[in-house]
Amino acid sequence: MLPSQALLPAVVFALTALQALASDTFIAAVYEHAVILPDPSEEPVSPDDALGLMNKNMDVLEGAIKEAAQKGAHIIVTPEDGIYGWRFTRESIYPYLEDIPDPVENWIPCTDPSRFGPAPVQERLSCMARNNSIYVVANIGDKKPCNSSDPKCPRDGRYQYNTDVVFDPQGKLVARYHKYNLFRSETQFNYPKEPEVVTFETPFGKFGIFTCFDILFYEPAVVVVSKMQVDTVLFPTAWMNVLPFLTAIEFHSAWAMGMRVNLLSANTHNTSMAMTGDGLFTPQGPAAYHYDSATEEGRLLLAELSTHPCLSPTYPPAIKWSLYATSIKKFPGEIDTFSGAVRKDVFTFSELRHKAGNYTVCQGDLCCHLVYQMSNKRKDEVYVLGAFDGLHGSLIKYHWQICTLLKCPSTDLSTCGEPVETAQTKFEMFSLSGTFGTSYVFPEVLYSGVQLAPGEFEVLRDGRLKSKRGTSKPLITATLFGRLYEKDLPHPLRTSP
């Protein structure tokens, strides 16, 4: 007979599961963590020093996990790089890595810590989940030995993976995901040989998981949602904000709306790296989000989400993104265009010269249509309609189609496309559409101060992004962000011998 203390986590888990089964909703949490970073070094530190740094970060995460659990959260997501940071070479990260087994092993590190060798990080994360009766999602590093019989085995005899782990409320490892689309600076890690599609069932829906840069690619992001039909995606990230289309909150909220799933996005927080912005995003818009470029503090967010959003009466319908745009005649004024760069992407722009109007701008196979009315046409602010249809990226190239209503930083048209965070102009209405060659389009609206506009815009079934009652705050950008995955170029690093 087990002692009552050992039975307690199982009893609490059973009660939590029954409670979740009886509800159409669950409480989710994400934590934006200001990571304690190691000193930059190309030489490995001792295992004790590595664990010491990781324990400092896990002390902070444990506080957030306890608070989330006390507030009723069923699951919490913590950020990519949240336990040891990112200042590493392949050699210097090695002391921070652990061997993470396949979840089929049915392992609870908290109660059996030495089963797969030393695993103090997994043990502690498992105990955090078990002691607080909550699902815990974290990002750590996995190491796997290999030898000369494997032609792709690195020279040092091991694979190293950027890895997400999920522990259930009993502390059992229930999911392990190796990041497939590494960002260009992640030279400390290896690419998995094949993309992994990781899902798991919970009492409050089916979950999928992937990491940061993965969200921009067909594998695994679209596969997890469209083919595996998950209800919620778990998304640890270390996202560096890039205006005007790729700040964390605007793109992640837009992605959840475009893919029509819940997205639990947990970001690292480091203002010097432009890292901030996390949230609990739904098909209808953000349930909660946070953006803070002024302080160095972490932030816990909680929200009640639909267990199965597709069964909700407010679940958005599938959109035919090019239906309206391909049905209308081109508006006058389309030849009055100029070129401008958003980072290195050359857009075709047309200036909105009047308080109200309708415009068409085309590039490649994409034509963007805009009808608008400003509350007041200011002489010191310039807005443009822009179109881009082409490959983005320097080393890794992937295909975008973008229609955007965009504020320029100044009245000098050569600045259009450069980052801008503030504006003064409100719009009484706007309607943006485009002749997209893809069904994967993500609607973004960003207000002055890098703020979202929940409930203030809608996407009609014919593909129009429209304001409902005008903008309550000055507008930075309204964008339809499309991805033509089939036109992406082969990944130069993953496909190289």
Side-chain angles (χ1 to χ4, degrees):
M1 183 174 180
L2 291 173
S4 58
Q5 187 175 3
L7 284 171
L8 183 59
V11 172
V12 173
F13 172 68
L15 292 174
T16 302
L18 288 173
Q19 182 182 17
L21 284 170
S23 175
D24 294 329
T25 63
F26 69 105
I27 305 296
V30 295
Y31 184 66
E32 183 171 318
H33 177 38
V35 184
I36 302 167
L37 298 173
D39 294 327
S41 173
E42 295 185 2
E43 298 298 323
V45 299
S46 70
D48 286 344
D49 286 345
L51 182 59
L53 175 79
M54 292 190 286
N55 274 326
K56 289 179 182 179
N57 280 299
M58 285 192 289
D59 288 344
V60 179
L61 297 180
E62 185 169 18
I65 290 166
K66 286 181 177 179
E67 182 180 350
Q70 289 168 357
K71 292 181 176 179
H74 298 95
I75 186 168
I76 183 170
V77 183
T78 62
E80 181 185 24
D81 301 330
I83 291 178
Y84 46 63
W86 51 85
R87 296 174 175 174
F88 297 106
T89 65
R90 178 175 179 83
E91 292 74 24
S92 66
I93 201 173
Y94 183 70
Y96 297 84
L97 307 180
E98 294 185 357
D99 186 355
I100 306 172
D102 192 306
V104 298
E105 297 291 347
N106 197 32
W107 181 41
I108 300 178
C110 187
T111 60
D112 189 8
S114 59
R115 180 177 168 189
F116 296 98
V121 174
Q122 293 174 84
E123 178 186 357
R124 187 168 180 188
L125 291 170
S126 170
C127 290
M128 289 181 198
R130 185 177 178 87
N131 294 340
N132 294 283
S133 299
I134 188 174
Y135 282 85
V136 171
V137 183
N139 177 262
I140 58 179
D142 189 10
K143 60 182 180 182
K144 290 288 180 283
C146 57
N147 55 47
S148 58
S149 64
D150 178 355
K152 293 187 176 182
C153 181
R155 291 180 179 179
D156 53 20
R158 62 180 183 266
Y159 290 108
Q160 300 181 169
Y161 298 116
N162 180 328
T163 308
D164 298 328
V165 290
V166 183
F167 295 95
D168 74 7
Q170 296 183 30
K172 183 170 69 174
L173 178 67
V174 295
R176 180 196 67 187
Y177 170 73
H178 295 140
K179 185 177 181 182
Y180 186 58
N181 297 284
L182 298 174
F183 199 59
R184 58 179 178 267
S185 60
E186 292 184 86
T187 56
Q188 67 269 40
F189 292 119
N190 296 107
Y191 293 92
K193 295 178 181 178
E194 299 292 337
E196 298 178 349
V197 179
V198 174
T199 66
F200 60 98
E201 297 283 352
T202 76
F204 38 94
K206 184 177 182 181
F207 285 67
I209 187 168
F210 48 78
T211 314
C212 202
F213 202 37
D214 283 327
I215 200 171
L216 285 166
F217 298 91
Y218 186 83
E219 293 179 312
V222 176
V223 173
V224 163
V225 175
S226 297
K227 294 189 177 181
M228 304 307 294
Q229 297 183 326
V230 298
D231 300 300
T232 298
V233 171
L234 309 174
F235 186 60
T237 184
W239 195 276
M240 292 177 284
N241 290 290
V242 181
L243 286 163
F245 315 124
L246 285 176
T247 65
I249 57 173
E250 68 174 321
F251 183 72
H252 300 160
S253 179
W255 190 89
M257 295 179 72
M259 297 302 292
R260 302 191 298 160
V261 292
N262 297 325
L263 179 71
L264 311 187
S265 170
N267 201 1
T268 55
H269 187 90
N270 186 291
T271 57
S272 67
M273 298 282 289
M275 292 177 177
T276 184
D278 63 343
L280 299 144
F281 304 112
T282 78
Q284 294 82 15
Y289 76 94
H290 169 68
Y291 178 92
D292 172 20
S293 61
T295 75
E296 296 297 338
E297 299 176 356
R299 181 69 174 271
L300 176 68
L301 296 178
L302 293 93
E304 186 174 12
L305 306 180
S306 289
T307 300
H308 303 289
C310 63
L311 301 180
S312 168
T314 59
Y315 188 62
I319 306 298
K320 296 182 178 179
W321 286 105
S322 64
L323 183 61
Y324 177 78
T326 55
S327 70
I328 63 174
K329 295 181 179 180
K330 294 180 182 179
F331 295 130
E334 62 189 86
I335 60 173
D336 186 18
T337 62
F338 64 97
S339 295
V342 178
R343 293 176 70 82
K344 295 182 179 179
D345 297 335
V346 179
F347 277 64
T348 301
F349 288 131
S350 183
E351 181 185 358
L352 309 186
R353 297 181 179 274
H354 307 288
K355 181 178 178 181
N358 50 34
Y359 284 80
T360 296
V361 170
C362 297
Q363 185 181 107
D365 294 329
L366 178 68
C367 285
C368 303
H369 305 284
L370 174 69
V371 181
Y372 74 95
Q373 183 170 348
M374 297 176 183
S375 299
N376 183 39
K377 180 69 171 73
R378 299 174 59 97
K379 293 183 179 180
D380 60 345
E381 292 198 330
V382 170
Y383 284 80
V384 293
L385 171 65
F388 178 79
D389 182 7
L391 290 170
H392 168 80
S394 52
L395 178 62
I396 304 167
K397 294 185 181 294
Y398 41 103
H399 198 109
W400 289 353
Q401 281 190 328
I402 297 176
C403 291
T404 184
L405 162 59
L406 181 69
K407 180 185 180 291
C408 303
S410 74
T411 56
D412 181 355
L413 295 182
S414 67
T415 67
C416 295
E418 295 177 5
V420 57
E421 292 191 4
T422 60
Q424 299 294 324
T425 301
K426 297 180 181 179
F427 283 73
E428 293 182 11
M429 68 83 61
F430 65 81
S431 175
L432 180 67
S433 59
T435 58
F436 291 96
T438 177
S439 60
Y440 298 106
V441 179
F442 311 110
E444 303 178 352
V445 176
L446 197 64
Y447 282 165
S448 183
V450 192
Q451 297 295 311
L452 299 183
E456 296 194 14
F457 68 91
E458 61 185 339
V459 180
L460 304 184
R461 296 192 70 175
D462 61 9
R464 282 178 287 173
L465 171 63
K466 293 189 66 176
S467 58
K468 288 184 177 180
R469 295 171 295 277
T471 63
S472 64
K473 298 178 181 178
L475 183 72
I476 295 178
T477 179
T479 303
L480 291 171
F481 185 108
R483 277 287 282 118
L484 277 73
Y485 301 103
E486 66 274 14
K487 289 189 176 182
D488 291 357
L489 295 185
H491 194 297
L493 298 179
R494 198 164 53 230
T495 57
S496 61

